[in-house]
């Protein structure tokens, strides 16, 4: 009985970004939609634009906005 239950709210619903709030680079997926970092190139899909284009972000920002990396089941608190 130590298997974690799958959270029922884990279904990923893409967040739709307002393109007027993003820079051109962010709309093109060339810059992180959160912190504007262009390098390393953002590779995490953070959401999408109303036209269906993907909006990308770096791993750190994906974590900040609540997108969990694929290490499901791993405790978030790391022992120091
Ligand atoms: Zn970022």
């Amino acid at each position: 009985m130590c298997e974690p239950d799958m959270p029922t709210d884990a279904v990923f619903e893409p967040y739709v970004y307002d393109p007027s709030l993003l820079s051109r680079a962010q709309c093109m997926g060339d810059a992180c939609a959160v912190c504007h970092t262009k390098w390393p190139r953002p590779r995490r899909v953070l959401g999408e634009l109303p036209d269906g284009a993907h909006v990308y972000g770096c791993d750190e920002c994906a974590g900040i906005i609540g997108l969990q990396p694929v290490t499901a089941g791993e405790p978030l608190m790391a022992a120091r």
Side-chain angles (χ1 to χ4, degrees):
M1 288 295 285
C2 52
E3 282 192 40
D5 290 325
M6 288 295 290
T8 54
D9 60 351
V11 177
F12 176 66
E13 288 188 34
Y15 180 82
V16 178
Y17 283 81
D18 183 347
S20 68
L21 299 178
L22 299 177
S23 73
R24 177 173 168 78
Q26 287 172 314
C27 289
M28 298 293 290
D30 287 332
C32 173
V34 178
C35 69
H36 299 257
T37 294
K38 291 186 179 179
W39 193 263
R41 190 178 176 84
R43 299 177 68 176
R44 296 289 301 274
V45 177
L46 298 188
E48 59 185 36
L49 297 174
D51 66 3
H54 285 157
V55 175
Y56 290 89
C58 52
D59 275 334
E60 282 186 22
C61 293
I64 289 172
I65 68 171
L67 292 179
Q68 297 302 319
V70 287
T71 54
E74 229 171 74
L76 287 178
M77 280 196 302
R80 296 192 183 193

